[in-house]
């Protein structure tokens, strides 16, 4: 018996879970989000906040383009601007070889019918990013990409979901999942609740949820580190990355610079703990200071590290379970799921509410990778 | 205010925003400035309100100054040297630095 | 070796690295080095002694001993210098890895050193005393003023007020007056009920009669100097002059509001363990309700859940300078045992007299803890009082975040930026926990503390970039 009468149960109170809940609630579905700790505890609340189409896996571009349209009117979706600023995204070429690589990429994306990626020369790069190192020869840019404030975004989605009628229960972890009489029975710390649909948005812990119904989904984890500096006057507008090296470099509204790029810390998934790896962090600092020499004397105020799921081919799983009817997955965003959240949530809500979606999630099926491919 | 009734340590001269200020060997920059009656040493990046040393032991980061061209140094943790150039740090630290990091 | 080696070339390895050159660190390093270990002591200050014995050698050379307790610091430093341990000054430690790797910066350059054992002896910090206006230039801590006295011979002059509670407040007043300083008055915020609570511990404290007499003598000296002493004061505020620096203080005493001109206000609200390293190492911390502070969990030797890391002194819970020195020696003995330099029986033999001395040194602690238990008014600030000095986050902003569902200090960072500035939560950490606990009606133990991560000092990107990185750093693990 479904006492509370839910239509769907979302497992995981990260940005993706909250987005699914928001879109389901807007479709007048009765939805509850179960969050083991608190909403935005892991990589949703702490990430670089990149809102980026630039450089995405070809299979992700269609969904990313739709998500970007949603970001440009994010306030109408969630009632808050989420700190989103369309300052652009820039991928810098440090050599002629880099430049050739970026030129091929631009051509490939244009051939698919997208024109958001644009190759620029050294003079234009300097105009957009005056502090860039002299050796940089050009860049691929996406001028209307940008960045948002991750925790503010997560909070805005949460509030909007609640305002639309979704229920969010924190400090309530899922321990069991069983199907009986076309209903899912979800056992959590506070008891058992039922609904015909369950959405697995449990991030680095999502494979454990899948395993509860006997579904094995090969997926690893990652713990990307970030460095945050002291506040400085505004000197860089876009988010800057590199072509042959891992970097994400962004100045926030507060004036701090957030430096990331997928440099890995060490994590203990079971203990939900991650620690900074100083060798890797030093490498991140070296790349940042080589691309922005002006940063050498700037002080590090904080570092952090967020745990999330990483698939073998670095694109997410979004769609129905391969083995269990009424179970849907949305995880494995591999360090770049923030931007996709508005669209992925809409796609899943459509799938659950109507059985189908027009949104381009076909590339993200859960059976596409094999266990052997997982890194 | 603070005063220094007796001192047998050598006299040095430092500058604060270009103005010469006397100091004694062994002083931290913050102590030398307080002895000279300079209490406000920076303004905050958040509200531009004035701040001075609070803890004098490297904990509070409220005495951040530009010392010999290097921003965000804790004035309570740096010993004075004759001729040292001290500047108040106003708001967020400046991006450009003119010594040490640019050999 | 009779003289301290000058640290020009820093060794890459050591048997034991001691962090902190106060009584616990000096004694730990001395004990270990005397017994043959290669010991490196890293200290952030330009001279040995920690805060309690700050600049002790320089003052001794000038014939300024302050008092007998301070002179004890000179003996600790002498013993250290005779021990063969190496001291590296002006070294800011920003990393301690569970394997004993210690990262520190010195003169703008970062270095990694590998130790078999690390003894964390980073002592205490003053508990924040958030009152309206406490961020104004001219408002400092009593500890800060004492450092000015010890390091630069500066004494208070003009309209200098002292406010708060705790032994240091009295000690500083006595030292400052003896050095020729002037004080406008002392505003004692010790809750009147503390005295009664402390009397219950009088029996235990009788073992430390000397300490009790010392406290009484301090009080008497201050009264004899004619310094106004205002007790039972409430609602203390600091107000700005036209220049944005301290101009006036006001408070309520004997039912009346008083306003006094002031150019310096020295605050003191007791001391608490400095937990930056132990928190960043993810060592479990326990709430001590009596001392109203978290302390890292460790055994009677100072061993923690991280086998290579030990804690000694006030950093493991406030015990004072004498007990800290003994704790340092105990940690050294256990480190030597763990390194195979000392068998267990020898360790225990050496420790037995130290444990007896430790018990004596701790006899007065329950009495002091009860007598100077902080006033709730200054643990949980009201209204628009700034809690996080760096990011300028007020108590009311914290309460608002709690009303929006924020449960703990880490969420609070995202809600308000509280604790995200350069001091890395050092000043506001406990106040934040107290404010959340009070707003939620929860215990501080349940609310918890900031999750801290290394680096615990703001080294530059350039310094970090120069630290050796592995060959394939972006590879997943």
């Amino acid at each position: 018996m479904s006492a509370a009468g839910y239509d769907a149960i979302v497992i995981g109170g990260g940005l993706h879970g909250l987005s699914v809940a928001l879109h389901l609630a807007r479709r007048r579905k009765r939805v509850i989000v179960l969050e083991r700790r608190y909403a935005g505890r892991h990589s949703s609340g702490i990430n670089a906040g990149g809102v980026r189409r630039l450089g995405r896996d070809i299979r992700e571009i269609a969904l990313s383009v739709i998500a970007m349209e949603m970001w440009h009117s994010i306030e109408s979706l969630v009632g808050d601007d989420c700190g989103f600023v369309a300052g652009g995204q820039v991928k810098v070429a440090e050599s002629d070889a880099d430049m050739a690589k970026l030129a091929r990429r631009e051509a490939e994306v244009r051939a698919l019918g997208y024109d958001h990626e644009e190759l620029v020369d050294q003079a234009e790069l300097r105009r957009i990013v005056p502090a860039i190192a002299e050796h940089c020869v050009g860049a691929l840019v996406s001028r209307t990409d940008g960045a948002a404030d991750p925790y503010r975004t997560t909070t805005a989605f949460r509030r909007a979901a609640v305002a639309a009628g979704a229920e969010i229960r924190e400090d309530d972890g899922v321990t069991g999942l069983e199907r009986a009489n076309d209903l899912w029975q979800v056992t959590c710390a506070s008891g058992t609740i039922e609904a015909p649909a369950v959405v697995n948005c449990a991030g680095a812990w999502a494979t454990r949820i899948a395993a509860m119904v006997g579904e094995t989904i090969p997926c690893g984890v990652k713990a990307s580190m970030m460095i945050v500096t002291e506040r400085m006057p505004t000197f860089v507008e876009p988010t800057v990355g590199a072509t042959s090296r891992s970097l994400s470099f962004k100045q926030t509204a507060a004036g701090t610079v957030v430096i990331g790029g997928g440099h890995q810390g060490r994590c203990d998934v079971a203990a939900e703990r991650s620690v900074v790896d100083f060798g890797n962090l030093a490498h991140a600092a070296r790349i940042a200071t080589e691309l922005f020499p002006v940063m050498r004397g700037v002080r590090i105020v904080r570092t952090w590290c967020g745990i999330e799921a990483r698939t073998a081919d670095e694109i997410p799983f979004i769609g129905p379970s391969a083995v269990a009817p009424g179970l849907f997955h949305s995880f494995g965003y591999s360090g770049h799921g923030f931007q996709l959240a508005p669209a992925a949530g809409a796609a899943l809500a459509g799938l659950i509410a109507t059985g189908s979606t027009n949104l381009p999630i076909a590339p993200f099926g859960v059976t596409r990778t094999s266990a052997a491919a997982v890194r | 205010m603070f005063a220094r009734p007796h001192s047998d340590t050598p006299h040095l001269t430092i500058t604060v925003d270009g103005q010469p200020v006397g100091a004694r060997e062994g002083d931290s920059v913050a102590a030398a400035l307080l002895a000279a009656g300079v209490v406000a040493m920076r303004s905050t990046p958040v509200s531009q309100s004035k701040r001075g040393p609070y803890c004098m032991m490297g904990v509070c980061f409220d005495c951040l100054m530009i010392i010999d061209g290097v921003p965000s140094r804790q004035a309570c943790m740096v010993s004075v040297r004759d001729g040292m150039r001290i500047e108040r740090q106003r708001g967020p630290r400046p991006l450009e630095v003119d010594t040490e990091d640019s050999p | 070796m009779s003289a301290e080696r000058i640290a020009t070339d820093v060794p890459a390895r050591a048997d034991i690295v001691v962090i902190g050159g106060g009584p616990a660190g000096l004694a730990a390093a001395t004990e270990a080095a005397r017994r043959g270990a290669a010991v490196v002591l890293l200290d952030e200050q330009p001279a040995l002694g920690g805060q309690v014995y700050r600049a002790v050698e320089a003052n001794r050379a000038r014939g300024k001993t302050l008092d007998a307790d301070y002179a004890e610091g000179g003996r600790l430093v002498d013993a250290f210098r005779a021990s063969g341990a190496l001291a590296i000054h002006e070294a800011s430690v920003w990393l301690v890895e569970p394997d004993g790797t210690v990262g520190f910066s010195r003169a703008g350059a970062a270095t990694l050193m590998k130790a078999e054992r690390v003894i964390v002896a980073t002592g205490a910090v003053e508990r924040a005393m958030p009152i309206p206006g406490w961020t104004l230039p001219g408002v400092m801590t009593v500890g800060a003023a004492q450092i000015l006295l010890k390091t630069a011979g500066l004494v208070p002059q003009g309209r200098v007020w002292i406010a708060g509670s705790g032994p240091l407040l009295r000690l500083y007043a006595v030292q400052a007056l003896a050095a020729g300083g002037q004080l406008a008055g002392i505003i004692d915020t010790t809750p009147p009920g503390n005295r009664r609570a402390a009397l219950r511990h009088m029996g235990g404290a009788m073992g430390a009669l000397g300490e009790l007499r010392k406290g009484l003598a301090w009080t008497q000296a201050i009264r004899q100097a004619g310094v106004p002493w205002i007790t039972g004061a409430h609602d203390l505020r600091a107000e700005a002059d036209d220049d944005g620096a301290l101009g006036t203080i006001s408070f309520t005493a004997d039912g009346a509001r008083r306003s006094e001109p002031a150019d310096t206000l020295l605050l003191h609200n007791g001391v608490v363990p400095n937990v930056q390293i132990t928190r960043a190492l993810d060592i479990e911390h326990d709430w001590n309700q009596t001392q109203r502070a978290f302390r890292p969990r460790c055994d009677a030797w100072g061993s923690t859940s991280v086998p290579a890391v030990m804690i000694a002194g006030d950093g493991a819970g406030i015990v004072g300078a004498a007990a800290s020195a003994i704790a340092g020696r105990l940690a050294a003995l256990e480190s030597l045992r763990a390194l195979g330099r000392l068998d267990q029986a020898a360790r225990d033999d050496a420790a037995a007299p130290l444990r007896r001395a430790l018990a004596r040194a701790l006899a007065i602690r329950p009495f002091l803890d009860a007598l100077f238990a902080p006033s709730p008014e200054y643990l949980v600030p009201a209204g628009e009082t700034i809690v996080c000095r760096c990011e300028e986050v007020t108590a009311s902003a914290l309460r608002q975040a709690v009303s929006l569902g924020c449960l703990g200090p880490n969420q609070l960072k995202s809600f308000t930026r509280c604790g995200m500035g350069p001091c890395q939560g050092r000043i506001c950490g406990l106040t934040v926990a107290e404010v959340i606990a009070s707003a939620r009606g929860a215990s501080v133990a349940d609310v918890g503390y900031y999750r801290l991560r290394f680096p615990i000092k703001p080294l530059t990107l350039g310094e970090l970039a120069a630290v050796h990185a592995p060959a394939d750093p972006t590879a997943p693990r």
Side-chain angles (χ1 to χ4, degrees):
Chain A
M1 189 187 89
S2 178
Y6 296 113
D7 295 311
I9 298 165
V10 176
I11 300 172
L15 183 56
H16 281 279
L18 295 168
S19 177
V20 175
L22 168 64
H23 287 288
L24 281 169
R26 292 261 167 90
R27 287 174 177 268
R28 303 191 178 282
K29 296 295 172 190
R30 291 154 301 174
V31 57
I32 182 169
V33 177
L34 298 176
E35 164 53 48
R36 178 174 43 178
R37 304 295 168 214
Y38 58 84
R41 164 69 182 85
H42 288 287
S43 52
S44 293
I46 44 173
N47 64 70
V51 179
R52 169 178 68 82
R53 290 165 300 179
L54 180 69
R56 282 206 176 258
D57 188 292
I58 293 293
R59 294 166 292 175
E60 278 185 347
I61 293 178
L63 190 64
S64 179
V65 165
I66 290 162
M68 191 58 81
E69 285 167 17
M70 299 171 86
W71 275 103
H72 278 273
S73 57
I74 198 75
E75 191 154 2
S76 68
L77 181 67
V78 296
D80 187 279
D81 69 13
C82 298
F84 172 66
V85 177
Q89 289 261 351
V90 174
K91 185 180 266 231
V92 171
E94 296 185 79
S95 64
D96 291 344
D98 277 0
M99 203 60 184
K101 195 167 158 188
L102 293 181
R104 285 195 299 277
R105 163 75 186 188
E106 187 205 28
E108 185 184 18
V109 172
R110 281 191 191 278
L112 293 168
Y114 301 107
D115 60 3
H116 57 273
E117 296 191 6
E118 174 195 346
L119 197 66
V120 302
D121 63 10
Q122 191 172 42
E124 176 64 2
L125 170 61
R126 281 209 202 308
R127 196 190 64 77
I128 307 171
V129 190
I132 200 77
E134 283 184 11
H135 73 275
C136 296
V137 291
L140 195 61
V141 305
S142 181
R143 294 182 192 267
T144 55
D145 286 4
D149 179 330
Y151 197 80
R152 187 167 162 189
T153 303
T154 304
T155 304
F157 272 79
R158 174 200 181 132
R159 286 194 196 163
V162 170
E167 196 179 324
I168 292 166
R169 204 182 283 170
E170 293 173 298
D171 214 3
D172 206 0
V174 171
T175 55
L177 190 56
E178 275 180 53
R179 182 111 174 145
N181 306 324
D182 289 338
L183 277 181
W184 286 106
Q185 296 185 326
V186 178
T187 307
C188 46
S190 65
T192 298
I193 54 175
E194 292 182 337
V198 166
V199 194
N200 175 15
C201 299
W205 299 268
T207 54
R208 292 164 192 227
I209 299 292
M212 289 178 186
V213 301
E215 184 170 22
T216 304
I217 303 177
C219 188
V221 293
K222 65 190 300 188
S224 297
M225 299 185 295
M226 298 281 158
I227 295 171
V228 186
T229 70
E230 60 191 321
R231 294 179 189 239
M232 283 165 288
T234 302
F235 73 100
V236 57
E237 192 96 356
T239 304
V240 179
T243 304
S244 302
R245 299 199 279 178
S246 296
L247 175 71
S248 154
F249 186 101
K250 184 192 78 174
Q251 188 169 25
T252 68
T256 61
V257 169
V258 178
I259 297 164
H263 300 275
Q264 294 296 291
R266 295 182 291 249
C267 69
D268 179 340
V269 178
E272 299 169 51
R273 285 289 193 183
S274 58
V275 295
V276 167
D277 178 301
F278 267 80
N280 288 352
L281 202 73
H283 188 71
R286 189 177 311 160
I287 296 170
T289 52
E290 283 174 8
L291 278 152
F292 290 92
V294 77
M295 294 295 289
R296 276 184 300 197
V298 173
R299 290 173 199 280
I300 298 168
V301 169
R302 295 179 287 128
T303 60
W304 36 262
C305 198
I307 306 176
E308 75 157 321
R310 169 190 219 156
T311 63
D313 56 359
E314 304 246 348
I315 65 167
F317 296 121
I318 310 171
S321 159
V323 305
L327 175 63
F328 300 84
H329 298 296
S330 177
F331 67 92
Y333 288 86
S334 308
H336 41 81
F338 183 71
Q339 189 261 356
L340 297 175
L348 282 167
L351 208 52
I352 292 162
T354 70
S356 68
T357 177
N358 294 329
L359 292 166
I361 58 168
F364 308 117
V366 297
T367 55
R368 70 172 189 277
T369 57
S370 68
V374 173
R375 285 191 270 174
Chain B
M1 304 286 277
F2 294 92
R4 183 147 34 195
H6 320 283
S7 177
D8 46 11
T9 50
H11 290 241
L12 310 171
T13 303
I14 59 177
T15 62
V16 180
D17 291 336
Q19 300 298 309
V21 168
R24 308 292 171 101
E25 196 172 291
D27 284 356
S28 65
V29 170
L33 296 192
L34 287 169
V38 176
V39 183
M41 300 189 186
R42 69 162 185 139
S43 61
T44 66
V46 179
S47 70
Q48 283 71 49
S49 57
K50 289 180 182 175
R51 292 285 171 90
Y54 174 71
C55 76
M56 285 301 293
M57 56 183 274
V59 173
C60 74
F61 291 78
D62 252 327
C63 61
L64 298 179
M65 303 191 85
I66 305 169
I67 299 178
D68 282 340
V70 181
S72 292
R73 296 195 74 188
Q74 292 175 281
C76 73
M77 302 293 283
V78 177
S79 300
V80 290
R81 276 188 305 98
D82 199 30
M84 199 172 234
R85 288 177 299 117
I86 319 285
E87 292 159 82
R88 288 187 176 87
Q89 188 161 305
R90 294 178 168 85
R93 60 156 286 164
L95 194 58
E96 304 285 345
V97 296
D98 61 5
T99 54
E100 282 204 4
D101 279 311
S102 311
Chain C
M1 193 171 298
S2 61
E4 177 198 17
R5 283 175 281 159
I6 304 296
T8 45
D9 289 321
V10 171
R13 306 187 69 87
D15 293 333
I16 297 172
V17 164
V18 177
I19 305 171
L26 286 170
T30 303
E31 185 74 33
R34 267 184 189 163
R35 292 173 182 268
V39 180
V40 174
L41 183 146
L42 300 173
D43 188 63
E44 201 170 16
Q45 300 301 335
L48 293 170
Q51 301 308 337
V52 64
Y53 304 132
R54 189 85 185 258
V56 65
E57 288 178 293
N59 281 317
R60 186 173 58 182
R62 291 185 207 119
K64 293 181 185 171
T65 47
L66 289 181
D67 51 52
D69 284 341
Y70 186 68
E72 173 60 23
R75 284 189 286 277
L76 279 174
V77 173
D78 291 342
F80 173 87
R81 294 202 183 284
S83 72
L86 172 70
I88 300 178
H89 298 294
E90 296 179 304
S92 285
V93 172
W94 45 265
L95 171 70
V96 178
E97 295 268 35
D99 71 351
T101 300
V102 178
F104 61 95
S105 287
R106 201 163 166 254
T111 309
L112 293 181
M113 184 183 287
K114 175 75 174 66
E116 300 304 313
R117 279 314 252 208
V118 178
I119 298 176
V120 178
T122 49
V125 294
E126 288 179 273
R127 182 198 305 278
M129 188 164 165
I131 60 165
W134 71 311
T135 54
L136 294 171
V139 182
M140 306 173 69
T141 68
V142 169
Q146 197 192 32
I147 289 165
L148 289 170
L149 176 65
K150 290 172 180 171
T151 61
L154 297 190
V155 299
Q157 194 181 62
R159 298 168 302 187
V160 179
W161 289 82
I162 296 183
S165 181
L168 183 64
L169 184 150
R170 287 155 205 252
L171 172 60
Y172 171 69
V174 171
Q175 290 172 335
L177 293 168
Q182 307 164 353
L183 293 171
I186 296 176
I187 301 162
D188 190 342
T189 62
T190 309
N194 282 12
R195 200 172 281 271
R196 204 175 322 118
L199 286 175
R200 285 202 295 274
H201 300 285
M202 201 60 186
M206 293 316 274
L209 262 181
E211 294 293 309
L212 288 175
R213 285 206 191 95
K214 206 157 60 189
L216 289 172
W218 291 347
T219 307
Q220 205 172 13
I222 296 164
R223 292 202 189 280
Q224 274 173 357
V227 177
W229 189 314
I230 297 140
T231 54
H234 290 283
D235 197 13
L236 175 67
R237 290 160 186 270
E239 284 133 27
D241 62 11
D242 293 342
D243 271 348
L246 176 67
T248 2
I249 59 165
S250 64
F251 52 91
T252 302
D254 296 327
R257 193 81 193 145
R258 274 177 69 176
S259 184
E260 298 283 348
D263 46 44
T264 305
L265 172 62
L266 304 175
L267 299 173
H268 185 70
N269 203 15
V271 296
V272 295
N274 173 2
V275 295
Q276 299 301 114
I277 290 175
T278 50
R279 282 278 176 189
L281 275 166
D282 227 357
I283 289 167
E284 201 68 48
H285 285 63
D286 298 308
W287 176 247
N288 180 331
Q289 180 67 20
T290 310
Q291 295 191 342
R292 288 203 89 86
F294 287 99
R295 60 181 178 194
R297 195 175 292 173
C298 59
D299 69 10
W301 300 101
S303 299
T304 71
S305 56
V306 179
V309 177
M310 308 196 67
I311 316 165
D314 279 343
I318 301 305
V319 292
S324 290
I326 300 166
R329 295 179 66 186
L330 290 169
L333 291 172
E334 165 54 17
S335 292
L336 292 165
R337 187 209 57 79
L339 295 177
R341 303 292 181 90
L342 205 59
D343 65 33
Q344 195 168 320
R347 178 200 70 176
D348 293 346
D349 282 352
L354 294 177
R355 294 219 180 275
R356 288 192 290 276
L358 185 61
R360 285 194 296 278
L362 290 175
I364 198 171
R365 193 50 46 186
F367 174 79
L368 289 178
D369 285 347
L371 183 59
F372 296 112
S375 162
E377 183 182 351
Y378 301 106
L379 291 175
V380 184
E384 297 306 308
T385 305
I386 286 176
V387 172
C388 169
R389 296 171 63 99
C390 296
E391 294 293 325
E392 302 183 45
V393 184
T394 63
S396 69
L398 301 192
R399 292 195 172 90
Q400 194 193 351
V402 172
S403 74
L404 293 173
C406 174
L407 302 171
N410 293 304
Q411 267 177 295
L412 195 67
K413 289 192 213 172
S414 307
F415 269 91
T416 65
R417 292 191 60 83
C418 192
M420 289 168 86
C423 98
Q424 300 176 317
R426 283 170 165 82
I427 300 287
C428 69
L430 281 174
T431 308
V432 162
E434 293 268 11
V435 168
I436 296 174
S438 132
R440 280 181 48 197
S443 72
V444 183
D446 288 340
V447 165
Y449 198 77
Y450 290 132
R451 165 90 160 103
L452 302 181
R453 290 183 188 275
F454 295 109
I456 54 152
K457 284 279 172 175
L459 80 164
T460 65
L461 283 165
E463 286 172 67
L464 178 59
V467 171
H468 173 72
D472 183 15
T474 42
R477 296 182 177 227

